[in-house]
Amino acid sequence: MNTSYDDIWTAFLNNCKVSDIDLPQIPEKMFEYIKNSVMHFNNRFRTTIVCDDDLEELSEELSNDYLLILAHYIRLIFLKNQRTYFESLWQPFSKDVGLKNFSTQLNSLKSSVQEQERTIDSLVMNMEDDFL
């Protein structure tokens, strides 16, 4: 049995809480987040997992370790998109709204991205330790 999109999205929601208002509300947008995270996952692990939007599943069954890592990749992409959106939206107005506040918010987003990257690295390392 292959891993379903519902399994992936549930793992993401259970492990990587984000503001409900910022979450995509239509399936197509959720699918985009899943497919993008699978691309990052495939790059990291040199796998060739394929997404099937019609069946709403991956081409194979993921272990719990891989499912957790994939969920965290969704969060990483989510945070990077938030940072990019914030920069592009507010940077032109940063002097008007106060440079200190803009810098503080931007640093917070950058810190969240770095923390998420460290979390993924830690999960990968924990998985590798099982093989030693």
Side-chain angles (χ1 to χ4, degrees):
M1 184 170 146
N2 298 342
T3 300
S4 73
Y5 284 9
D6 285 342
D7 293 337
I8 297 165
W9 200 253
T10 299
F12 164 66
L13 293 176
N14 288 339
N15 292 284
C16 307
K17 184 65 177 155
V18 296
S19 170
D20 290 344
I21 198 162
D22 293 328
L23 287 173
Q25 301 301 316
I26 58 173
E28 291 79 15
K29 288 292 182 187
M30 293 176 196
F31 295 176
E32 288 176 22
Y33 271 94
I34 291 170
K35 289 189 285 192
N36 200 9
S37 65
V38 167
M39 284 192 309
H40 286 269
F41 182 91
N42 281 339
N43 180 266
R44 176 76 181 254
F45 292 101
R46 310 313 299 162
T47 56
T48 56
I49 297 170
V50 177
C51 296
D52 186 333
D53 288 349
D54 294 329
L55 296 175
E56 296 183 16
E57 67 181 20
L58 302 183
S59 59
E60 56 189 75
E61 180 72 19
L62 296 183
S63 69
N64 286 334
D65 287 334
Y66 281 161
L67 185 59
L68 186 58
I69 292 167
L70 190 59
H72 281 278
Y73 267 118
I74 294 173
R75 176 149 169 74
L76 177 62
I77 293 162
F78 182 83
L79 290 170
K80 284 183 174 183
N81 288 343
Q82 275 191 320
R83 184 187 66 196
T84 301
Y85 176 76
F86 181 79
E87 284 175 324
S88 63
L89 180 66
W90 290 106
Q91 192 165 22
F93 306 107
S94 64
K95 292 185 183 190
D96 296 335
V97 297
L99 185 60
K100 182 178 180 184
N101 185 42
F102 174 78
S103 296
T104 301
Q105 293 290 335
L106 187 57
N107 286 338
S108 176
L109 286 167
K110 286 180 181 179
S111 176
S112 293
V113 167
Q114 291 169 342
E115 180 181 332
Q116 191 60 43
E117 289 171 336
R118 285 190 300 271
T119 298
I120 291 170
D121 289 343
S122 176
L123 290 169
V124 170
M125 196 160 61
N126 288 345
M127 195 177 74
E128 291 172 352
D129 285 346
D130 290 344
F131 296 110
L132 296 178

PDB file of all heavy atoms in Angstrom, residues 21-57:
ATOM      1  N   ILE A  21      -4.879  29.860   9.287  1.00  0.00           N
ATOM      2  CA  ILE A  21      -5.255  30.830   8.259  1.00  0.00           C
ATOM      3  C   ILE A  21      -4.259  30.826   7.094  1.00  0.00           C
ATOM      4  O   ILE A  21      -4.612  31.161   5.969  1.00  0.00           O
ATOM      5  CB  ILE A  21      -5.407  32.251   8.857  1.00  0.00           C
ATOM      6  CG1 ILE A  21      -6.205  33.120   7.915  1.00  0.00           C
ATOM      7  CG2 ILE A  21      -4.061  32.871   9.174  1.00  0.00           C
ATOM      8  CD1 ILE A  21      -6.775  34.364   8.542  1.00  0.00           C
ATOM      9  N   ASP A  22      -3.026  30.410   7.356  1.00  0.00           N
ATOM     10  CA  ASP A  22      -1.993  30.385   6.315  1.00  0.00           C
ATOM     11  C   ASP A  22      -1.964  29.075   5.538  1.00  0.00           C
ATOM     12  O   ASP A  22      -1.293  28.984   4.512  1.00  0.00           O
ATOM     13  CB  ASP A  22      -0.613  30.628   6.929  1.00  0.00           C
ATOM     14  CG  ASP A  22      -0.473  32.036   7.469  1.00  0.00           C
ATOM     15  OD1 ASP A  22      -1.084  32.952   6.902  1.00  0.00           O
ATOM     16  OD2 ASP A  22       0.251  32.214   8.467  1.00  0.00           O
ATOM     17  N   LEU A  23      -2.659  28.068   6.034  1.00  0.00           N
ATOM     18  CA  LEU A  23      -2.666  26.768   5.358  1.00  0.00           C
ATOM     19  C   LEU A  23      -3.493  26.821   4.079  1.00  0.00           C
ATOM     20  O   LEU A  23      -4.531  27.483   4.042  1.00  0.00           O
ATOM     21  CB  LEU A  23      -3.249  25.693   6.268  1.00  0.00           C
ATOM     22  CG  LEU A  23      -2.387  25.243   7.426  1.00  0.00           C
ATOM     23  CD1 LEU A  23      -3.172  24.296   8.328  1.00  0.00           C
ATOM     24  CD2 LEU A  23      -1.119  24.577   6.946  1.00  0.00           C
ATOM     25  N   PRO A  24      -3.051  26.104   3.061  1.00  0.00           N
ATOM     26  CA  PRO A  24      -3.862  26.050   1.841  1.00  0.00           C
ATOM     27  C   PRO A  24      -5.196  25.355   2.133  1.00  0.00           C
ATOM     28  O   PRO A  24      -5.243  24.384   2.885  1.00  0.00           O
ATOM     29  CB  PRO A  24      -3.015  25.231   0.872  1.00  0.00           C
ATOM     30  CG  PRO A  24      -1.987  24.551   1.678  1.00  0.00           C
ATOM     31  CD  PRO A  24      -1.830  25.323   2.945  1.00  0.00           C
ATOM     32  N   GLN A  25      -6.262  25.867   1.560  1.00  0.00           N
ATOM     33  CA  GLN A  25      -7.596  25.346   1.817  1.00  0.00           C
ATOM     34  C   GLN A  25      -8.137  24.479   0.678  1.00  0.00           C
ATOM     35  O   GLN A  25      -9.130  23.785   0.856  1.00  0.00           O
ATOM     36  CB  GLN A  25      -8.571  26.499   2.084  1.00  0.00           C
ATOM     37  CG  GLN A  25      -8.168  27.362   3.258  1.00  0.00           C
ATOM     38  CD  GLN A  25      -8.064  26.583   4.563  1.00  0.00           C
ATOM     39  OE1 GLN A  25      -8.918  25.765   4.874  1.00  0.00           O
ATOM     40  NE2 GLN A  25      -6.992  26.827   5.310  1.00  0.00           N
ATOM     41  N   ILE A  26      -7.492  24.536  -0.474  1.00  0.00           N
ATOM     42  CA  ILE A  26      -7.961  23.724  -1.599  1.00  0.00           C
ATOM     43  C   ILE A  26      -6.966  22.601  -1.859  1.00  0.00           C
ATOM     44  O   ILE A  26      -5.754  22.767  -1.682  1.00  0.00           O
ATOM     45  CB  ILE A  26      -8.190  24.586  -2.863  1.00  0.00           C
ATOM     46  CG1 ILE A  26      -6.913  25.309  -3.272  1.00  0.00           C
ATOM     47  CG2 ILE A  26      -9.319  25.576  -2.663  1.00  0.00           C
ATOM     48  CD1 ILE A  26      -7.020  26.032  -4.602  1.00  0.00           C
ATOM     49  N   PRO A  27      -7.473  21.441  -2.249  1.00  0.00           N
ATOM     50  CA  PRO A  27      -6.593  20.275  -2.451  1.00  0.00           C
ATOM     51  C   PRO A  27      -5.427  20.524  -3.394  1.00  0.00           C
ATOM     52  O   PRO A  27      -4.313  20.059  -3.147  1.00  0.00           O
ATOM     53  CB  PRO A  27      -7.538  19.210  -3.011  1.00  0.00           C
ATOM     54  CG  PRO A  27      -8.885  19.594  -2.496  1.00  0.00           C
ATOM     55  CD  PRO A  27      -8.885  21.099  -2.460  1.00  0.00           C
ATOM     56  N   GLU A  28      -5.641  21.266  -4.458  1.00  0.00           N
ATOM     57  CA  GLU A  28      -4.574  21.490  -5.433  1.00  0.00           C
ATOM     58  C   GLU A  28      -3.367  22.177  -4.799  1.00  0.00           C
ATOM     59  O   GLU A  28      -2.226  21.860  -5.126  1.00  0.00           O
ATOM     60  CB  GLU A  28      -5.085  22.316  -6.620  1.00  0.00           C
ATOM     61  CG  GLU A  28      -6.064  21.592  -7.516  1.00  0.00           C
ATOM     62  CD  GLU A  28      -7.493  21.537  -6.951  1.00  0.00           C
ATOM     63  OE1 GLU A  28      -7.813  22.290  -5.992  1.00  0.00           O
ATOM     64  OE2 GLU A  28      -8.278  20.723  -7.461  1.00  0.00           O
ATOM     65  N   LYS A  29      -3.615  23.125  -3.897  1.00  0.00           N
ATOM     66  CA  LYS A  29      -2.509  23.811  -3.217  1.00  0.00           C
ATOM     67  C   LYS A  29      -1.804  22.860  -2.250  1.00  0.00           C
ATOM     68  O   LYS A  29      -0.578  22.888  -2.121  1.00  0.00           O
ATOM     69  CB  LYS A  29      -3.013  25.057  -2.469  1.00  0.00           C
ATOM     70  CG  LYS A  29      -3.400  26.175  -3.391  1.00  0.00           C
ATOM     71  CD  LYS A  29      -2.169  26.721  -4.084  1.00  0.00           C
ATOM     72  CE  LYS A  29      -2.528  27.884  -4.971  1.00  0.00           C
ATOM     73  NZ  LYS A  29      -1.403  28.335  -5.766  1.00  0.00           N
ATOM     74  N   MET A  30      -2.562  22.015  -1.568  1.00  0.00           N
ATOM     75  CA  MET A  30      -1.961  21.011  -0.681  1.00  0.00           C
ATOM     76  C   MET A  30      -1.084  20.069  -1.505  1.00  0.00           C
ATOM     77  O   MET A  30       0.024  19.727  -1.088  1.00  0.00           O
ATOM     78  CB  MET A  30      -3.043  20.214   0.041  1.00  0.00           C
ATOM     79  CG  MET A  30      -3.843  21.008   1.022  1.00  0.00           C
ATOM     80  SD  MET A  30      -5.157  19.965   1.712  1.00  0.00           S
ATOM     81  CE  MET A  30      -6.199  21.202   2.424  1.00  0.00           C
ATOM     82  N   PHE A  31      -1.591  19.670  -2.665  1.00  0.00           N
ATOM     83  CA  PHE A  31      -0.827  18.779  -3.536  1.00  0.00           C
ATOM     84  C   PHE A  31       0.489  19.428  -3.950  1.00  0.00           C
ATOM     85  O   PHE A  31       1.527  18.770  -4.024  1.00  0.00           O
ATOM     86  CB  PHE A  31      -1.625  18.419  -4.796  1.00  0.00           C
ATOM     87  CG  PHE A  31      -2.874  17.610  -4.557  1.00  0.00           C
ATOM     88  CD1 PHE A  31      -3.707  17.297  -5.614  1.00  0.00           C
ATOM     89  CD2 PHE A  31      -3.237  17.161  -3.297  1.00  0.00           C
ATOM     90  CE1 PHE A  31      -4.860  16.552  -5.420  1.00  0.00           C
ATOM     91  CE2 PHE A  31      -4.391  16.423  -3.087  1.00  0.00           C
ATOM     92  CZ  PHE A  31      -5.201  16.127  -4.160  1.00  0.00           C
ATOM     93  N   GLU A  32       0.451  20.744  -4.224  1.00  0.00           N
ATOM     94  CA  GLU A  32       1.668  21.449  -4.603  1.00  0.00           C
ATOM     95  C   GLU A  32       2.709  21.398  -3.487  1.00  0.00           C
ATOM     96  O   GLU A  32       3.896  21.185  -3.750  1.00  0.00           O
ATOM     97  CB  GLU A  32       1.353  22.906  -4.955  1.00  0.00           C
ATOM     98  CG  GLU A  32       0.633  23.075  -6.270  1.00  0.00           C
ATOM     99  CD  GLU A  32       0.251  24.518  -6.550  1.00  0.00           C
ATOM    100  OE1 GLU A  32       0.876  25.429  -5.963  1.00  0.00           O
ATOM    101  OE2 GLU A  32      -0.671  24.731  -7.359  1.00  0.00           O
ATOM    102  N   TYR A  33       2.276  21.604  -2.246  1.00  0.00           N
ATOM    103  CA  TYR A  33       3.203  21.515  -1.117  1.00  0.00           C
ATOM    104  C   TYR A  33       3.777  20.107  -1.000  1.00  0.00           C
ATOM    105  O   TYR A  33       4.972  19.933  -0.759  1.00  0.00           O
ATOM    106  CB  TYR A  33       2.507  21.906   0.197  1.00  0.00           C
ATOM    107  CG  TYR A  33       2.578  23.373   0.501  1.00  0.00           C
ATOM    108  CD1 TYR A  33       1.557  24.234   0.139  1.00  0.00           C
ATOM    109  CD2 TYR A  33       3.687  23.914   1.149  1.00  0.00           C
ATOM    110  CE1 TYR A  33       1.624  25.586   0.417  1.00  0.00           C
ATOM    111  CE2 TYR A  33       3.765  25.269   1.430  1.00  0.00           C
ATOM    112  CZ  TYR A  33       2.729  26.103   1.062  1.00  0.00           C
ATOM    113  OH  TYR A  33       2.799  27.442   1.331  1.00  0.00           O
ATOM    114  N   ILE A  34       2.931  19.102  -1.160  1.00  0.00           N
ATOM    115  CA  ILE A  34       3.394  17.717  -1.065  1.00  0.00           C
ATOM    116  C   ILE A  34       4.388  17.411  -2.177  1.00  0.00           C
ATOM    117  O   ILE A  34       5.472  16.860  -1.930  1.00  0.00           O
ATOM    118  CB  ILE A  34       2.201  16.741  -1.085  1.00  0.00           C
ATOM    119  CG1 ILE A  34       1.397  16.880   0.210  1.00  0.00           C
ATOM    120  CG2 ILE A  34       2.669  15.305  -1.295  1.00  0.00           C
ATOM    121  CD1 ILE A  34       0.063  16.149   0.213  1.00  0.00           C
ATOM    122  N   LYS A  35       4.054  17.783  -3.412  1.00  0.00           N
ATOM    123  CA  LYS A  35       4.951  17.497  -4.548  1.00  0.00           C
ATOM    124  C   LYS A  35       6.287  18.212  -4.400  1.00  0.00           C
ATOM    125  O   LYS A  35       7.336  17.633  -4.694  1.00  0.00           O
ATOM    126  CB  LYS A  35       4.285  17.869  -5.868  1.00  0.00           C
ATOM    127  CG  LYS A  35       3.151  16.940  -6.252  1.00  0.00           C
ATOM    128  CD  LYS A  35       2.631  17.181  -7.645  1.00  0.00           C
ATOM    129  CE  LYS A  35       1.790  18.417  -7.690  1.00  0.00           C
ATOM    130  NZ  LYS A  35       1.029  18.576  -8.942  1.00  0.00           N
ATOM    131  N   ASN A  36       6.255  19.454  -3.941  1.00  0.00           N
ATOM    132  CA  ASN A  36       7.497  20.195  -3.755  1.00  0.00           C
ATOM    133  C   ASN A  36       8.350  19.547  -2.666  1.00  0.00           C
ATOM    134  O   ASN A  36       9.574  19.424  -2.816  1.00  0.00           O
ATOM    135  CB  ASN A  36       7.183  21.653  -3.416  1.00  0.00           C
ATOM    136  CG  ASN A  36       8.353  22.567  -3.668  1.00  0.00           C
ATOM    137  OD1 ASN A  36       9.350  22.177  -4.251  1.00  0.00           O
ATOM    138  ND2 ASN A  36       8.226  23.785  -3.216  1.00  0.00           N
ATOM    139  N   SER A  37       7.720  19.115  -1.594  1.00  0.00           N
ATOM    140  CA  SER A  37       8.487  18.468  -0.524  1.00  0.00           C
ATOM    141  C   SER A  37       9.062  17.130  -0.992  1.00  0.00           C
ATOM    142  O   SER A  37      10.169  16.760  -0.611  1.00  0.00           O
ATOM    143  CB  SER A  37       7.632  18.286   0.733  1.00  0.00           C
ATOM    144  OG  SER A  37       6.576  17.397   0.497  1.00  0.00           O
ATOM    145  N   VAL A  38       8.335  16.423  -1.840  1.00  0.00           N
ATOM    146  CA  VAL A  38       8.842  15.158  -2.385  1.00  0.00           C
ATOM    147  C   VAL A  38      10.056  15.421  -3.273  1.00  0.00           C
ATOM    148  O   VAL A  38      11.024  14.649  -3.247  1.00  0.00           O
ATOM    149  CB  VAL A  38       7.728  14.388  -3.139  1.00  0.00           C
ATOM    150  CG1 VAL A  38       8.308  13.241  -3.967  1.00  0.00           C
ATOM    151  CG2 VAL A  38       6.683  13.858  -2.161  1.00  0.00           C
ATOM    152  N   MET A  39      10.042  16.511  -4.022  1.00  0.00           N
ATOM    153  CA  MET A  39      11.222  16.856  -4.835  1.00  0.00           C
ATOM    154  C   MET A  39      12.438  17.081  -3.943  1.00  0.00           C
ATOM    155  O   MET A  39      13.538  16.587  -4.243  1.00  0.00           O
ATOM    156  CB  MET A  39      10.962  18.101  -5.683  1.00  0.00           C
ATOM    157  CG  MET A  39      10.088  17.850  -6.879  1.00  0.00           C
ATOM    158  SD  MET A  39      10.037  19.217  -8.079  1.00  0.00           S
ATOM    159  CE  MET A  39       9.672  20.629  -7.070  1.00  0.00           C
ATOM    160  N   HIS A  40      12.259  17.817  -2.853  1.00  0.00           N
ATOM    161  CA  HIS A  40      13.370  18.043  -1.916  1.00  0.00           C
ATOM    162  C   HIS A  40      13.806  16.733  -1.270  1.00  0.00           C
ATOM    163  O   HIS A  40      15.004  16.480  -1.110  1.00  0.00           O
ATOM    164  CB  HIS A  40      12.958  19.049  -0.835  1.00  0.00           C
ATOM    165  CG  HIS A  40      12.896  20.451  -1.325  1.00  0.00           C
ATOM    166  ND1 HIS A  40      13.964  21.316  -1.261  1.00  0.00           N
ATOM    167  CD2 HIS A  40      11.888  21.152  -1.900  1.00  0.00           C
ATOM    168  CE1 HIS A  40      13.622  22.479  -1.771  1.00  0.00           C
ATOM    169  NE2 HIS A  40      12.365  22.410  -2.168  1.00  0.00           N
ATOM    170  N   PHE A  41      12.845  15.924  -0.895  1.00  0.00           N
ATOM    171  CA  PHE A  41      13.123  14.623  -0.297  1.00  0.00           C
ATOM    172  C   PHE A  41      13.920  13.744  -1.261  1.00  0.00           C
ATOM    173  O   PHE A  41      14.926  13.144  -0.886  1.00  0.00           O
ATOM    174  CB  PHE A  41      11.788  13.956   0.072  1.00  0.00           C
ATOM    175  CG  PHE A  41      11.913  12.630   0.741  1.00  0.00           C
ATOM    176  CD1 PHE A  41      11.980  12.548   2.126  1.00  0.00           C
ATOM    177  CD2 PHE A  41      11.946  11.455   0.006  1.00  0.00           C
ATOM    178  CE1 PHE A  41      12.083  11.321   2.756  1.00  0.00           C
ATOM    179  CE2 PHE A  41      12.051  10.235   0.625  1.00  0.00           C
ATOM    180  CZ  PHE A  41      12.123  10.160   2.004  1.00  0.00           C
ATOM    181  N   ASN A  42      13.463  13.668  -2.511  1.00  0.00           N
ATOM    182  CA  ASN A  42      14.166  12.872  -3.520  1.00  0.00           C
ATOM    183  C   ASN A  42      15.591  13.365  -3.714  1.00  0.00           C
ATOM    184  O   ASN A  42      16.523  12.562  -3.873  1.00  0.00           O
ATOM    185  CB  ASN A  42      13.426  12.927  -4.860  1.00  0.00           C
ATOM    186  CG  ASN A  42      12.220  12.018  -4.913  1.00  0.00           C
ATOM    187  OD1 ASN A  42      12.105  11.067  -4.152  1.00  0.00           O
ATOM    188  ND2 ASN A  42      11.300  12.326  -5.809  1.00  0.00           N
ATOM    189  N   ASN A  43      15.771  14.666  -3.689  1.00  0.00           N
ATOM    190  CA  ASN A  43      17.110  15.221  -3.848  1.00  0.00           C
ATOM    191  C   ASN A  43      17.994  14.836  -2.670  1.00  0.00           C
ATOM    192  O   ASN A  43      19.165  14.480  -2.851  1.00  0.00           O
ATOM    193  CB  ASN A  43      17.028  16.734  -3.997  1.00  0.00           C
ATOM    194  CG  ASN A  43      18.386  17.349  -4.175  1.00  0.00           C
ATOM    195  OD1 ASN A  43      19.006  17.776  -3.207  1.00  0.00           O
ATOM    196  ND2 ASN A  43      18.852  17.387  -5.415  1.00  0.00           N
ATOM    197  N   ARG A  44      17.466  14.909  -1.476  1.00  0.00           N
ATOM    198  CA  ARG A  44      18.245  14.611  -0.272  1.00  0.00           C
ATOM    199  C   ARG A  44      18.638  13.137  -0.199  1.00  0.00           C
ATOM    200  O   ARG A  44      19.763  12.789   0.125  1.00  0.00           O
ATOM    201  CB  ARG A  44      17.431  15.004   0.976  1.00  0.00           C
ATOM    202  CG  ARG A  44      18.064  14.661   2.314  1.00  0.00           C
ATOM    203  CD  ARG A  44      19.185  15.630   2.628  1.00  0.00           C
ATOM    204  NE  ARG A  44      19.853  15.373   3.865  1.00  0.00           N
ATOM    205  CZ  ARG A  44      19.707  16.087   4.972  1.00  0.00           C
ATOM    206  NH1 ARG A  44      18.870  17.107   5.001  1.00  0.00           N
ATOM    207  NH2 ARG A  44      20.395  15.808   6.035  1.00  0.00           N
ATOM    208  N   PHE A  45      17.684  12.258  -0.512  1.00  0.00           N
ATOM    209  CA  PHE A  45      17.917  10.820  -0.346  1.00  0.00           C
ATOM    210  C   PHE A  45      18.227  10.101  -1.644  1.00  0.00           C
ATOM    211  O   PHE A  45      18.430   8.890  -1.636  1.00  0.00           O
ATOM    212  CB  PHE A  45      16.706  10.167   0.332  1.00  0.00           C
ATOM    213  CG  PHE A  45      16.542  10.596   1.752  1.00  0.00           C
ATOM    214  CD1 PHE A  45      15.603  11.558   2.099  1.00  0.00           C
ATOM    215  CD2 PHE A  45      17.350  10.073   2.744  1.00  0.00           C
ATOM    216  CE1 PHE A  45      15.463  11.978   3.412  1.00  0.00           C
ATOM    217  CE2 PHE A  45      17.222  10.479   4.057  1.00  0.00           C
ATOM    218  CZ  PHE A  45      16.272  11.434   4.393  1.00  0.00           C
ATOM    219  N   ARG A  46      18.281  10.860  -2.738  1.00  0.00           N
ATOM    220  CA  ARG A  46      18.583  10.285  -4.053  1.00  0.00           C
ATOM    221  C   ARG A  46      17.589   9.188  -4.400  1.00  0.00           C
ATOM    222  O   ARG A  46      17.943   8.126  -4.922  1.00  0.00           O
ATOM    223  CB  ARG A  46      20.028   9.769  -4.141  1.00  0.00           C
ATOM    224  CG  ARG A  46      21.112  10.731  -3.680  1.00  0.00           C
ATOM    225  CD  ARG A  46      21.030  12.141  -4.180  1.00  0.00           C
ATOM    226  NE  ARG A  46      21.113  12.244  -5.629  1.00  0.00           N
ATOM    227  CZ  ARG A  46      20.725  13.331  -6.299  1.00  0.00           C
ATOM    228  NH1 ARG A  46      20.238  14.372  -5.670  1.00  0.00           N
ATOM    229  NH2 ARG A  46      20.818  13.362  -7.596  1.00  0.00           N
ATOM    230  N   THR A  47      16.315   9.425  -4.097  1.00  0.00           N
ATOM    231  CA  THR A  47      15.240   8.497  -4.420  1.00  0.00           C
ATOM    232  C   THR A  47      14.474   9.016  -5.629  1.00  0.00           C
ATOM    233  O   THR A  47      14.726  10.120  -6.112  1.00  0.00           O
ATOM    234  CB  THR A  47      14.273   8.335  -3.225  1.00  0.00           C
ATOM    235  OG1 THR A  47      13.782   9.625  -2.852  1.00  0.00           O
ATOM    236  CG2 THR A  47      14.964   7.706  -2.032  1.00  0.00           C
ATOM    237  N   THR A  48      13.533   8.220  -6.109  1.00  0.00           N
ATOM    238  CA  THR A  48      12.720   8.614  -7.266  1.00  0.00           C
ATOM    239  C   THR A  48      11.233   8.417  -6.959  1.00  0.00           C
ATOM    240  O   THR A  48      10.489   7.860  -7.762  1.00  0.00           O
ATOM    241  CB  THR A  48      13.107   7.810  -8.519  1.00  0.00           C
ATOM    242  OG1 THR A  48      12.995   6.419  -8.217  1.00  0.00           O
ATOM    243  CG2 THR A  48      14.510   8.153  -8.972  1.00  0.00           C
ATOM    244  N   ILE A  49      10.811   8.872  -5.818  1.00  0.00           N
ATOM    245  CA  ILE A  49       9.403   8.770  -5.442  1.00  0.00           C
ATOM    246  C   ILE A  49       8.601   9.704  -6.339  1.00  0.00           C
ATOM    247  O   ILE A  49       9.001  10.836  -6.598  1.00  0.00           O
ATOM    248  CB  ILE A  49       9.208   9.129  -3.960  1.00  0.00           C
ATOM    249  CG1 ILE A  49       9.959   8.107  -3.093  1.00  0.00           C
ATOM    250  CG2 ILE A  49       7.736   9.192  -3.599  1.00  0.00           C
ATOM    251  CD1 ILE A  49      10.037   8.485  -1.628  1.00  0.00           C
ATOM    252  N   VAL A  50       7.465   9.220  -6.813  1.00  0.00           N
ATOM    253  CA  VAL A  50       6.628   9.984  -7.729  1.00  0.00           C
ATOM    254  C   VAL A  50       5.275  10.234  -7.074  1.00  0.00           C
ATOM    255  O   VAL A  50       4.723   9.359  -6.407  1.00  0.00           O
ATOM    256  CB  VAL A  50       6.438   9.211  -9.058  1.00  0.00           C
ATOM    257  CG1 VAL A  50       5.510   9.949  -9.997  1.00  0.00           C
ATOM    258  CG2 VAL A  50       7.782   8.948  -9.717  1.00  0.00           C
ATOM    259  N   CYS A  51       4.733  11.429  -7.285  1.00  0.00           N
ATOM    260  CA  CYS A  51       3.413  11.791  -6.783  1.00  0.00           C
ATOM    261  C   CYS A  51       2.366  11.507  -7.851  1.00  0.00           C
ATOM    262  O   CYS A  51       2.588  11.800  -9.027  1.00  0.00           O
ATOM    263  CB  CYS A  51       3.355  13.275  -6.431  1.00  0.00           C
ATOM    264  SG  CYS A  51       4.436  13.752  -5.090  1.00  0.00           S
ATOM    265  N   ASP A  52       1.244  10.951  -7.429  1.00  0.00           N
ATOM    266  CA  ASP A  52       0.120  10.706  -8.330  1.00  0.00           C
ATOM    267  C   ASP A  52      -1.081  11.484  -7.804  1.00  0.00           C
ATOM    268  O   ASP A  52      -1.722  11.052  -6.842  1.00  0.00           O
ATOM    269  CB  ASP A  52      -0.180   9.209  -8.403  1.00  0.00           C
ATOM    270  CG  ASP A  52      -1.251   8.870  -9.425  1.00  0.00           C
ATOM    271  OD1 ASP A  52      -2.116   9.732  -9.709  1.00  0.00           O
ATOM    272  OD2 ASP A  52      -1.236   7.728  -9.925  1.00  0.00           O
ATOM    273  N   ASP A  53      -1.369  12.631  -8.427  1.00  0.00           N
ATOM    274  CA  ASP A  53      -2.471  13.475  -7.973  1.00  0.00           C
ATOM    275  C   ASP A  53      -3.829  12.806  -8.191  1.00  0.00           C
ATOM    276  O   ASP A  53      -4.770  13.052  -7.433  1.00  0.00           O
ATOM    277  CB  ASP A  53      -2.455  14.828  -8.686  1.00  0.00           C
ATOM    278  CG  ASP A  53      -1.317  15.711  -8.225  1.00  0.00           C
ATOM    279  OD1 ASP A  53      -0.653  15.385  -7.226  1.00  0.00           O
ATOM    280  OD2 ASP A  53      -1.085  16.756  -8.875  1.00  0.00           O
ATOM    281  N   ASP A  54      -3.956  11.986  -9.216  1.00  0.00           N
ATOM    282  CA  ASP A  54      -5.236  11.324  -9.477  1.00  0.00           C
ATOM    283  C   ASP A  54      -5.585  10.330  -8.366  1.00  0.00           C
ATOM    284  O   ASP A  54      -6.723  10.274  -7.907  1.00  0.00           O
ATOM    285  CB  ASP A  54      -5.209  10.602 -10.826  1.00  0.00           C
ATOM    286  CG  ASP A  54      -5.100  11.578 -12.000  1.00  0.00           C
ATOM    287  OD1 ASP A  54      -5.612  12.719 -11.869  1.00  0.00           O
ATOM    288  OD2 ASP A  54      -4.504  11.203 -13.026  1.00  0.00           O
ATOM    289  N   LEU A  55      -4.592   9.554  -7.935  1.00  0.00           N
ATOM    290  CA  LEU A  55      -4.814   8.590  -6.852  1.00  0.00           C
ATOM    291  C   LEU A  55      -4.558   9.199  -5.474  1.00  0.00           C
ATOM    292  O   LEU A  55      -4.855   8.576  -4.452  1.00  0.00           O
ATOM    293  CB  LEU A  55      -3.913   7.365  -7.034  1.00  0.00           C
ATOM    294  CG  LEU A  55      -4.169   6.515  -8.277  1.00  0.00           C
ATOM    295  CD1 LEU A  55      -3.127   5.401  -8.384  1.00  0.00           C
ATOM    296  CD2 LEU A  55      -5.574   5.943  -8.259  1.00  0.00           C
ATOM    297  N   GLU A  56      -3.961  10.391  -5.470  1.00  0.00           N
ATOM    298  CA  GLU A  56      -3.596  11.096  -4.240  1.00  0.00           C
ATOM    299  C   GLU A  56      -2.705  10.226  -3.348  1.00  0.00           C
ATOM    300  O   GLU A  56      -2.963  10.023  -2.163  1.00  0.00           O
ATOM    301  CB  GLU A  56      -4.844  11.559  -3.473  1.00  0.00           C
ATOM    302  CG  GLU A  56      -5.656  12.573  -4.234  1.00  0.00           C
ATOM    303  CD  GLU A  56      -6.848  13.105  -3.462  1.00  0.00           C
ATOM    304  OE1 GLU A  56      -6.906  12.929  -2.230  1.00  0.00           O
ATOM    305  OE2 GLU A  56      -7.720  13.720  -4.114  1.00  0.00           O
ATOM    306  N   GLU A  57      -1.637   9.731  -3.969  1.00  0.00           N
ATOM    307  CA  GLU A  57      -0.678   8.906  -3.241  1.00  0.00           C
ATOM    308  C   GLU A  57       0.691   8.967  -3.894  1.00  0.00           C
ATOM    309  O   GLU A  57       0.842   9.430  -5.015  1.00  0.00           O
ATOM    310  CB  GLU A  57      -1.167   7.462  -3.135  1.00  0.00           C
ATOM    311  CG  GLU A  57      -1.229   6.729  -4.454  1.00  0.00           C
ATOM    312  CD  GLU A  57      -1.735   5.305  -4.343  1.00  0.00           C
ATOM    313  OE1 GLU A  57      -2.399   4.975  -3.341  1.00  0.00           O
ATOM    314  OE2 GLU A  57      -1.462   4.525  -5.265  1.00  0.00           O
TER     315      GLU A  57
END
